[in-house]
C-alpha cells in the first residue's frame, strides 16, 4: 500500500465543505455545538473543545471514497482505508460491559467482512468512566466487554487505542476505528509496561491496546498516552508534571519508531479532565513542542482517576512531507 496515503488534519472549513470532497474518509466535530449531518463519514464526538477556535478533524485519502450505513454502524472506505463507527446505548444492552461487547461484536463483524479487515486504531468514548469502585469501575467493565468482543474474533494483536470518559448523553458508548487492507505493526513504549500485561491491581481484564501502530505506508498512530511509567501512574495531583511525563512518553515512542520530532503534519489531541487545567497544559505543550504542531484540547475524563491529562496523535513523518493536510 505504499503510496496510498492517509492524511489527518484539523481544519476550519465547515463540515459540508469537507464532506462534499470525494477524497474525504471522515470528518469529526467535537462537542455538542453545531448540527450533525446525515453523512455516514461525519461523526460528532461528545467531547467539548476547550479552545476558542474549534476546528474539525479531517481524514482524507488518495482516491474516491464510498460511504454507507447499516444499523448501528456508519462507514466510509477508499484507497485501502476504512473508517467505521458504532454507537450503542447502554440501557438497551443492559450495562456498560454488555454494551462494550456488543459494540465490538458489531464493529469487528463489519470490518472482518470488508476489503479493509486490518484494525489499526480505535477510539472509545463512554460516560462516567470512573464511576463505580474497584473492579466495578465502569472503565474496568468496559475493558471486560472489549476483551470478550476481541477474543470472539480471535484477535490477539491489538490495535492502538484511546479510551476516554465523555459528559454527553448518558448511556452513549461511541467506538470508531481506522482499518486498512494491510496489517499495521504494533509498537510498544520502552518506558511503559504493555497495557495488555498490566498486573491484576488495575482490573480483571488488562486493557486491549498497543501503545502505537505503524500504519501501512509508515505513519505512526499513537494511542492515548498519559503519565504512566512502568504500569504506575505518576505525579498524582500535579498537572504540570503529568503533562511533562505524557510528552516524554510520546517522545519515547517517536524514538522507538525512529521518527522525527512532531511537526506541522503531526496533529495531537489532548484530553483534559478539569477545564481549569487547560492553561497549564497548553504551557507544557509549548515547552516541549514545535509551535507548528497542530493540537486541540478536549474536555474528557482519563481512565484512571488520578490521571489529569492524556494525549494521542499521529506522526506522518517521512511519508507526508509533500503537503500533508493541504487540499
Ligand atoms: C494507560 O496508559 C492510560 O483502554 O484503550 C490509554 C490508551 C489508556 C488507551 C484503552 C487506556 C486505553 O493505561 C489509559
Amino acid at each position: 500500500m505504499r503510496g496510498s496515503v492517509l492524511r489527518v488534519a484539523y481544519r476550519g472549513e465547515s463540515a459540508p465543505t469537507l464532506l462534499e470532497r470525494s477524497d474525504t474518509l471522515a470528518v469529526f466535530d467535537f462537542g455538542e455545538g453545531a448540527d450533525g449531518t446525515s453523512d455516514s463519514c461525519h461523526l460528532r464526538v461528545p467531547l467539548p473543545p476547550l479552545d476558542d477556535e474549534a476546528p474539525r478533524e479531517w481524514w482524507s485519502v488518495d482516491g474516491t471514497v464510498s460511504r454507507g450505513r447499516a444499523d448501528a454502524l456508519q462507514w466510509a472506505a477508499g484507497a485501502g482505508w476504512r473508517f467505521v463507527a458504532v454507537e450503542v446505548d447502554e440501557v438497551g444492552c443492559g450495562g456498560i460491559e454488555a454494551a462494550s461487547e456488543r459494540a465490538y461484536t458489531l464493529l469487528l463483524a463489519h470490518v472482518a467482512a470488508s476489503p479493509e479487515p486490518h484494525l489499526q486504531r480505535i477510539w472509545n468514548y463512554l460516560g462516567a468512566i470512573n464511576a463505580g469502585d474497584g473492579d466495578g469501575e465502569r472503565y474496568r467493565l468496559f475493558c471486560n466487554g472489549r476483551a470478550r468482543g476481541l477474543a470472539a474474533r480471535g484477535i490477539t494483536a491489538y490495535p492502538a487505542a484511546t479510551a476516554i470518559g465523555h459528559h454527553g448523553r448518558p448511556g452513549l458508548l461511541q467506538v470508531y476505528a481506522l482499518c486498512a487492507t494491510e496489517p499495521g505493526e504494533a509498537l510498544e513504549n520502552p518506558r511503559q509496561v504493555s497495557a495488555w500485561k498490566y498486573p491484576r491491581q488495575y482490573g480483571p481484564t488488562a486493557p486491549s491496546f498497543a501503545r502505537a501502530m505503524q500504519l501501512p505506508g509508515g505513519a505512526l498512530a499513537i494511542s492515548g498516552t498519559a503519565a504512566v511509567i512502568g504500569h504506575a501512574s505518576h505525579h498524582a495531583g500535579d498537572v504540570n508534571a503529568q503533562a511533562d511525563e505524557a510528552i516524554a512518553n510520546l517522545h519515547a515512542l517517536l524514538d522507538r519508531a525512529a521518527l522525527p520530532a512532531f511537526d506541522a503534519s503531526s496533529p495531537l489531541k489532548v484530553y483534559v479532565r478539569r477545564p481549569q487545567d487547560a492553561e497549564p497544559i497548553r504551557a507544557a505543550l509549548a515547552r516541549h513542542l514545535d509551535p507548528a504542531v497542530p493540537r486541540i484540547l478536549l474536555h474528557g475524563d482519563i481512565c484512571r482517576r488520578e490521571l489529569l491529562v492524556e494525549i494521542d496523535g499521529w506522526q506522518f513523518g517521512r511519508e507526508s512531507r509533500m503537503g500533508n493536510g493541504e487540499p
Side-chain angles (χ1 to χ4, degrees):
M1 210 160 77
R2 239 302 12 129
S4 184
V5 173
L6 169 82
R7 292 168 299 269
V8 175
Y10 300 133
R11 305 285 295 220
E13 292 98 320
S14 72
T17 300
L18 296 170
L19 290 167
E20 77 188 9
R21 296 175 58 118
S22 63
D23 63 348
T24 290
L25 187 69
V27 174
F28 303 89
D29 273 278
F30 300 100
E32 310 289 344
D35 292 335
T37 69
S38 58
D39 199 301
S40 61
C41 70
H42 190 200
L43 192 66
R44 173 159 293 287
V45 171
L47 303 177
L50 293 171
D51 308 298
D52 293 337
E53 287 186 17
R56 342 197 116 66
E57 183 172 332
W58 178 48
W59 296 1
S60 61
V61 297
D62 277 344
T64 298
V65 170
S66 10
R67 305 168 185 181
R69 240 176 232 286
D71 302 321
L73 287 173
Q74 59 184 90
W75 58 268
W81 300 97
R82 174 169 298 255
F83 158 74
V84 53
V86 58
E87 291 188 342
V88 164
D89 178 29
E90 289 177 34
V91 176
C93 293
I96 182 61
E97 185 164 339
S100 162
E101 182 172 5
R102 172 117 186 100
Y104 272 79
T105 300
L106 290 169
L107 185 101
L108 298 175
H110 170 87
V111 168
S114 82
E116 300 85 12
H118 297 287
L119 278 177
Q120 311 286 332
R121 181 67 176 89
I122 301 197
W123 289 258
N124 306 277
Y125 299 125
L126 56 147
I129 194 169
N130 301 126
D133 287 319
D135 289 345
E137 185 181 31
R138 283 168 49 84
Y139 171 63
R140 297 184 183 193
L141 300 175
F142 161 80
C143 285
N144 297 343
R146 168 172 62 179
R148 276 209 303 278
L150 289 163
R153 285 265 159 202
I155 296 174
T156 52
Y158 301 126
T162 295
I164 290 289
H166 70 70
H167 298 275
R169 176 159 61 79
L172 168 66
L173 171 64
Q174 182 181 70
V175 180
Y176 69 89
L178 172 69
C179 309
T181 49
E182 292 172 31
E185 203 179 314
L187 204 80
E188 292 301 306
N189 190 329
R191 301 182 84 223
Q192 299 181 305
V193 171
S194 295
W196 72 85
K197 294 185 192 163
Y198 278 174
R200 176 65 180 85
Q201 70 199 81
Y202 300 102
T205 311
S208 317
F209 70 97
R211 296 295 180 184
M213 186 71 93
Q214 200 115 42
L215 304 178
L220 193 67
I222 302 173
S223 292
T225 300
V228 172
I229 308 176
H231 55 72
S233 306
H234 280 240
H235 317 299
D238 183 346
V239 69
N240 298 300
Q242 285 197 24
D244 288 345
E245 204 69 71
I247 296 166
N249 279 328
L250 293 173
H251 286 150
L253 273 172
L254 290 185
D255 277 356
R256 186 75 209 282
L259 285 167
F262 294 115
D263 60 22
S265 68
S266 321
L268 302 182
K269 204 181 288 133
V270 184
Y271 304 92
V272 178
R273 180 186 291 276
R274 307 183 302 207
Q276 68 267 28
D277 287 338
E279 220 33 70
I281 289 168
R282 283 192 193 100
L285 296 166
R287 280 198 293 282
H288 299 289
L289 298 174
D290 184 323
V293 176
R295 65 202 75 170
I296 57 175
L297 275 66
L298 302 175
H299 180 207
D301 294 337
I302 323 304
C303 63
R304 293 185 190 176
R305 286 168 203 195
E306 67 278 11
L307 292 173
L308 301 172
V309 58
E310 183 171 304
I311 305 173
D312 70 25
W314 312 79
Q315 169 54 297
F316 291 90
R318 297 168 296 243
E319 74 167 15
S320 60
R321 279 293 131 76
M322 287 176 298
N324 182 60
E326 295 307 313

XYZ file of all heavy atoms in Angstrom, residues 104 121-122 124 139 142-143 146 160-164 192-193 195 198 207-211 223-228 231 302-304 307 310, ligand 1:
282
model
N -18.149 -3.956 20.068
C -17.014 -4.643 19.427
C -17.485 -5.768 18.517
O -16.919 -5.979 17.443
C -15.993 -5.115 20.479
C -15.006 -4.009 20.756
C -15.349 -2.948 21.607
C -13.784 -3.956 20.096
C -14.483 -1.889 21.800
C -12.911 -2.892 20.282
C -13.256 -1.873 21.131
O -12.407 -0.809 21.304
N -6.445 1.309 14.526
C -6.541 2.347 15.550
C -7.999 2.469 15.964
O -8.887 2.516 15.095
C -6.047 3.654 14.896
C -6.035 4.878 15.776
C -5.011 4.753 16.868
N -4.874 5.942 17.706
C -5.591 6.177 18.803
N -6.560 5.376 19.169
N -5.337 7.249 19.537
N -8.274 2.500 17.271
C -9.649 2.584 17.778
C -9.748 3.675 18.846
O -8.846 3.836 19.662
C -10.105 1.236 18.390
C -10.034 0.119 17.339
C -11.504 1.341 18.960
C -10.811 -1.124 17.701
N -12.484 5.017 21.899
C -13.637 4.571 22.694
C -14.050 5.702 23.617
O -13.222 6.189 24.403
C -13.236 3.380 23.571
C -12.611 2.240 22.791
O -13.303 1.414 22.212
N -11.272 2.182 22.774
N -14.796 1.852 33.697
C -13.713 1.614 32.730
C -13.300 0.142 32.734
O -13.073 -0.462 31.682
C -12.508 2.502 33.027
C -11.295 2.123 32.195
C -11.312 2.232 30.799
C -10.133 1.625 32.796
C -10.208 1.862 30.032
C -9.031 1.260 32.035
C -9.075 1.380 30.662
O -7.986 1.011 29.908
N -15.890 -1.846 30.988
C -15.699 -1.636 29.544
C -14.586 -2.543 29.018
O -14.724 -3.187 27.968
C -15.393 -0.160 29.263
C -14.743 0.055 27.929
C -15.505 0.070 26.774
C -13.355 0.170 27.828
C -14.890 0.212 25.528
C -12.742 0.320 26.599
C -13.507 0.333 25.440
N -13.465 -2.598 29.747
C -12.339 -3.446 29.327
C -12.749 -4.920 29.232
O -12.323 -5.633 28.314
C -11.168 -3.312 30.296
S -10.260 -1.753 30.128
N -14.858 -5.282 25.993
C -13.994 -5.140 24.806
C -13.183 -6.409 24.594
O -13.082 -6.900 23.454
C -13.066 -3.936 24.999
C -11.947 -3.872 23.975
C -11.157 -2.585 24.057
N -10.461 -2.378 25.323
C -9.701 -1.318 25.588
N -9.552 -0.362 24.673
N -9.107 -1.176 26.760
N -3.768 0.139 18.189
C -3.586 1.301 19.052
C -4.972 1.804 19.455
O -5.948 1.600 18.726
C -2.813 2.391 18.313
N -5.087 2.459 20.623
C -6.418 2.874 21.080
C -6.365 4.061 22.033
O -5.312 4.422 22.563
C -7.139 1.718 21.771
N -7.536 4.635 22.223
C -7.806 5.662 23.224
C -9.118 5.290 23.891
O -10.042 4.836 23.204
C -7.945 7.044 22.539
O -6.697 7.399 21.950
C -8.364 8.122 23.517
N -9.210 5.453 25.217
C -10.489 5.279 25.924
C -10.653 6.460 26.874
O -9.821 6.658 27.763
C -10.522 3.960 26.693
N -11.716 7.236 26.658
C -11.898 8.494 27.403
C -13.354 8.600 27.866
O -14.266 8.111 27.191
C -11.513 9.688 26.483
C -9.993 9.717 26.242
C -12.004 11.026 27.036
C -9.138 10.134 27.439
N 7.169 1.987 29.338
C 5.903 1.527 29.914
C 5.731 0.022 29.759
O 6.127 -0.557 28.740
C 4.727 2.217 29.207
C 4.729 3.738 29.343
C 3.525 4.359 28.655
O 3.275 4.137 27.475
N 2.783 5.165 29.399
N 5.110 -0.582 30.757
C 4.654 -1.960 30.621
C 3.547 -1.984 29.571
O 2.690 -1.092 29.543
C 4.105 -2.473 31.976
C 3.428 -3.828 31.832
C 5.227 -2.536 33.010
N 0.166 -2.465 27.959
C -1.106 -2.391 28.685
C -1.740 -3.773 28.874
O -2.337 -4.044 29.919
C -2.065 -1.452 27.948
N -0.648 -5.411 32.056
C -0.822 -4.746 33.350
C -1.156 -5.797 34.416
O -1.919 -6.731 34.169
C -1.993 -3.748 33.289
C -1.681 -2.391 32.701
C -2.719 -1.476 32.488
C -0.386 -1.993 32.369
C -2.483 -0.214 31.957
C -0.151 -0.729 31.834
C -1.192 0.153 31.635
O -0.960 1.396 31.109
N -6.124 -3.929 29.734
C -6.646 -3.197 28.566
C -6.053 -3.714 27.256
O -4.847 -3.929 27.156
C -6.200 -1.757 28.830
C -5.838 -1.685 30.279
C -5.388 -3.062 30.662
N -6.936 -3.872 26.255
C -6.530 -4.489 24.982
C -6.091 -3.413 23.984
O -6.849 -3.069 23.085
C -7.710 -5.265 24.391
O -8.397 -6.004 25.374
N -4.878 -2.898 24.143
C -4.389 -1.953 23.133
C -2.872 -1.946 23.066
O -2.189 -2.292 24.037
C -4.917 -0.534 23.372
C -4.354 0.182 24.580
C -3.297 1.077 24.465
C -4.886 -0.019 25.847
C -2.780 1.759 25.568
C -4.371 0.649 26.960
C -3.321 1.537 26.820
N -2.358 -1.572 21.907
C -0.919 -1.361 21.710
C -0.623 0.114 21.915
O -1.490 0.963 21.725
C -0.519 -1.792 20.303
N 0.590 0.460 22.299
C 0.943 1.860 22.561
C 0.931 2.700 21.291
O 0.720 3.917 21.360
C 2.312 1.951 23.221
C 2.380 1.300 24.588
C 1.495 2.020 25.601
N 1.568 1.380 26.916
C 0.834 1.766 27.945
N -0.028 2.770 27.823
N 0.924 1.144 29.095
N -1.405 5.854 20.526
C -2.510 5.656 21.467
C -2.549 6.766 22.506
O -1.580 7.506 22.683
C -2.331 4.323 22.196
O -2.497 3.253 21.306
N -3.636 6.839 23.214
C -3.743 7.734 24.353
C -2.558 7.493 25.279
O -2.286 6.361 25.658
N -1.868 8.589 25.624
C -0.607 8.485 26.354
C -0.676 9.411 27.560
O -0.940 10.608 27.418
C 0.561 8.875 25.425
O 0.563 7.982 24.298
C 1.888 8.796 26.140
N -0.445 8.860 28.746
C -0.570 9.634 29.978
C 0.707 9.492 30.800
O 1.711 8.967 30.322
C -1.793 9.155 30.754
N 0.633 9.962 32.054
C 1.811 9.942 32.936
C 1.933 8.577 33.597
O 1.918 8.458 34.824
C 1.704 11.050 33.964
N 2.055 7.550 32.772
C 2.232 6.182 33.273
C 3.666 5.771 32.973
O 4.122 5.868 31.836
C 1.236 5.223 32.596
C 1.551 3.775 32.956
C -0.201 5.571 33.000
N 3.933 0.407 35.003
C 2.465 0.314 34.935
C 1.800 1.326 35.866
O 0.573 1.395 35.938
C 1.978 -1.111 35.264
C 2.471 -1.626 36.590
N 1.999 -1.152 37.784
C 3.390 -2.581 36.879
C 2.607 -1.792 38.777
N 3.463 -2.655 38.260
N -9.966 10.820 32.062
C -8.968 9.793 31.790
C -9.380 8.529 32.560
O -10.084 8.604 33.574
C -7.560 10.285 32.211
C -7.373 11.775 31.921
C -6.469 9.442 31.592
C -7.599 12.232 30.524
N -8.920 7.376 32.090
C -9.475 6.123 32.613
C -8.983 5.748 34.011
O -9.525 4.848 34.625
C -9.231 4.994 31.628
S -7.492 4.695 31.402
N -7.948 6.414 34.515
C -7.603 6.237 35.926
C -7.877 7.564 36.609
O -7.476 8.624 36.115
C -6.125 5.883 36.103
C -5.747 4.519 35.545
C -4.285 4.248 35.887
N -3.762 3.089 35.197
C -2.502 2.698 35.267
N -1.631 3.400 36.006
N -2.080 1.631 34.624
N -5.300 10.411 36.926
C -4.696 10.987 35.720
C -5.505 12.190 35.251
O -6.736 12.144 35.172
C -4.608 9.934 34.613
C -3.612 8.795 34.902
C -3.711 7.713 33.824
C -2.182 9.304 35.018
N -4.247 13.310 29.015
C -3.818 12.231 28.128
C -3.714 12.816 26.717
O -4.484 13.710 26.358
C -4.842 11.089 28.182
C -4.472 9.875 27.347
C -5.404 8.696 27.603
O -5.536 8.285 28.792
O -6.018 8.207 26.646
C -2.754 3.948 30.204
O -1.607 4.176 29.804
C -3.711 5.087 30.163
O -8.119 1.301 27.416
O -7.973 1.767 25.294
C -4.636 4.862 27.301
C -4.934 4.486 25.989
C -5.343 4.298 28.350
C -5.924 3.540 25.734
C -7.639 1.948 26.480
C -6.335 3.350 28.071
C -6.631 2.975 26.772
O -3.108 2.850 30.658
C -5.080 4.691 29.766
